[in-house]
Amino acid sequence: MTAAARQEQKVQQTLAEERRRRLAAAMREAGIGHLVLYGNAWQGDYLRYGADFGILEGHGIALIAADGAAELYLDSAVEAERAELEAPFVRVHFAPDIARAVGARLDRVAKERLAAAPRRFLPRFLADPARSFTLSDGTALVDKLLMHKSEGEIAAVRRAAQIADEAYGEFLKAVRPGRRQFEIVADIEAHLRLRGCPDNFMIIGSGGKDVLGMTPPSERQIAAGDLVTTELTPAVEGYFAQICRTLVVGKASEAQRRAFAVFVEALEAGIAAVRPGVRAADVARAENDVFRKHGLGEYTTSQWTRVRGHGMGLFADSKPHILEDVNTVLEEGMTLIVHPNTYHPEAGYIVLGDAVVVTERGAEVLCKTPRQLFEVAA
């Protein structure tokens, strides 16, 4: 193992120990004896917070005691073998019928106060009232820990944002006419893995006014005049940071430039609204009001766009979601992506977004890539 790898492993272990301490303290304060954490290959942040294991396939359930002791149940033999190596402080169980295995374990502590997060994702067997135990909803308790980062966690997000900036530079080099979307994304994956970054959530869009959003990479070929968009989201020590940018293949048209200027204005308004004490809704409204001012309020609705940003951390798309009906109060230590991504009727789908940290003075912007409509040779 290289010196850099040993240092990264040490940082990961330190963050994992810190998470376990924070989680155990929150459980004791809430009077919870054992906490059940569920995870799968799509969303594993709750599981990883308590068990320090990034699940890749199947289902996982961690059982965390108030003293910090952790057990991990996995229904994949391959994952269980990997967990034995990667999560040395956790007792690992391979259980093809994971719900019944966890249920049998919970029978032994049924008299304690038990909770689960996220409870809505639990196997039905564990939530059945016929069980000897009752699992209350501990999702809000874990959400608070996931949203409010420690200094060590914020440092990991900062490093991920730096890598995201570098990877977008590679994206600019990779886009050229005739190349297929999956070839471009493959170049970025190769770049990130050579940097020691195996985790990256990435979607892409290319074309004109016919393109209504972004998707996983397809065989669609890049053509002159295309808008090419991406959300690029690498992770460091399990912590994700995202950047959203748009480029034009060739020279941008006046309509494209005019449209992009609205997105710059909206992003600046959203970031200016970020500070402790405001609600996620206030940030979304600041972004949307710019579109309304320009007669584009229709394109802030759910018909055209999903969110105006969201939290980041151990999951690429975590709470709080930046929407006008989300009243989560922003607090110092939260990490977010602010992105007024939506369709523009004159240009097509455009994205622009920066990762930020909520500080006592407002938003600290982590992305350094200029907020411009990039042009690459046609």
Side-chain angles (χ1 to χ4, degrees):
M1 182 182 293
T2 66
R6 284 195 297 272
Q7 178 61 28
E8 182 176 351
Q9 185 181 58
K10 183 178 179 181
V11 170
Q12 289 177 327
Q13 290 174 351
T14 299
L15 287 173
E17 291 166 3
E18 182 178 62
R19 289 195 299 263
R20 281 195 295 272
R21 288 195 299 270
R22 292 178 70 198
L23 181 57
M27 289 172 60
R28 291 192 296 270
E29 184 177 348
I32 296 171
H34 281 79
L35 180 65
V36 174
L37 301 174
Y38 172 81
N40 56 37
W42 166 242
Q43 184 167 1
D45 49 341
Y46 294 83
L47 182 73
R48 187 161 192 167
Y49 197 92
D52 191 34
F53 182 68
I55 189 169
L56 297 177
E57 65 178 40
H59 304 268
I61 295 177
L63 182 62
I64 312 298
D67 64 2
E71 296 180 59
L72 177 61
Y73 293 77
L74 298 163
D75 62 6
S76 162
V78 173
E79 289 291 80
E81 183 176 353
R82 186 167 66 85
E84 292 278 4
L85 296 173
E86 296 184 10
F89 302 106
V90 176
R91 184 181 177 189
V92 178
H93 306 270
F94 167 54
D97 191 339
I98 193 171
R100 279 176 165 74
V102 173
R105 178 66 178 85
L106 291 174
D107 284 337
R108 293 157 51 188
V109 292
K111 293 183 179 180
E112 296 183 13
R113 184 183 175 201
L114 308 177
R119 192 182 185 283
R120 66 189 184 280
F121 290 167
L122 280 185
R124 185 176 300 175
F125 177 85
L126 295 177
D128 191 327
R131 302 277 76 78
S132 68
F133 50 84
T134 300
L135 291 170
S136 63
D137 195 342
T139 307
L141 179 147
V142 184
D143 281 346
K144 185 174 182 179
L145 296 172
L146 286 167
M147 287 190 291
H148 298 81
K149 310 293 191 302
S150 68
E151 282 301 318
E153 291 177 298
I154 292 171
V157 174
R158 283 197 180 98
R159 290 194 294 274
Q162 180 182 350
I163 290 175
D165 278 324
E166 295 169 1
Y168 190 75
E170 295 300 312
F171 186 82
L172 290 172
K173 298 175 188 176
V175 175
R176 57 181 182 272
R179 297 204 79 195
R180 291 168 291 186
Q181 289 183 358
F182 75 82
E183 293 175 308
I184 295 166
V185 172
D187 283 356
I188 305 310
E189 291 293 331
H191 168 78
L192 289 171
R193 287 182 179 267
L194 288 171
R195 287 289 315 273
C197 178
D199 295 329
N200 174 44
F201 172 78
M202 187 172 180
I203 50 180
I204 186 172
S206 64
K209 289 192 287 185
D210 58 310
V211 179
L212 304 180
M214 294 179 292
T215 64
S218 71
E219 294 192 359
R220 184 171 185 166
Q221 289 184 311
I222 303 300
D226 277 358
L227 282 179
V228 183
T229 58
T230 190
E231 283 188 1
L232 204 164
T233 321
V236 169
E237 286 119 33
Y239 290 86
F240 290 90
Q242 187 172 99
I243 185 171
C244 304
R245 289 294 188 271
T246 301
L247 64 83
V248 178
V249 182
K251 292 292 183 182
S253 68
E254 183 56 36
Q256 289 170 332
R257 292 185 182 281
R258 186 167 57 247
F260 191 77
V262 176
F263 287 77
V264 174
E265 185 180 348
L267 176 58
E268 291 175 349
I271 289 176
V274 172
R275 60 184 181 278
V278 307
R279 300 170 302 155
D282 299 322
V283 179
R285 189 170 297 108
E287 296 176 73
N288 291 342
D289 281 349
V290 172
F291 287 88
R292 295 180 184 117
K293 182 182 75 172
H294 290 280
L296 298 167
E298 172 188 353
Y299 299 98
T300 68
T301 66
S302 59
Q303 178 182 352
W304 298 98
T305 186
R306 187 176 65 88
V307 292
R308 314 307 271 166
H310 50 79
M312 297 180 307
L314 290 173
F315 184 46
D317 186 0
S318 58
K319 297 177 182 177
H321 289 134
I322 308 300
L323 287 166
E324 290 195 41
D325 61 355
V326 174
N327 290 315
T328 303
V329 176
L330 302 189
E331 297 183 24
E332 189 175 352
M334 289 184 175
T335 53
L336 314 167
I337 173 80
V338 180
H339 61 44
N341 301 347
T342 191
Y343 187 79
H344 192 288
E346 294 183 0
Y349 195 80
I350 292 176
V351 307
L352 181 67
D354 283 341
V356 305
V357 179
V358 182
T359 75
E360 61 179 354
R361 297 177 301 279
E364 175 194 346
V365 179
L366 302 182
C367 298
K368 307 303 180 187
T369 302
R371 296 171 191 162
Q372 68 184 63
L373 183 58
F374 290 93
E375 296 174 337
V376 299

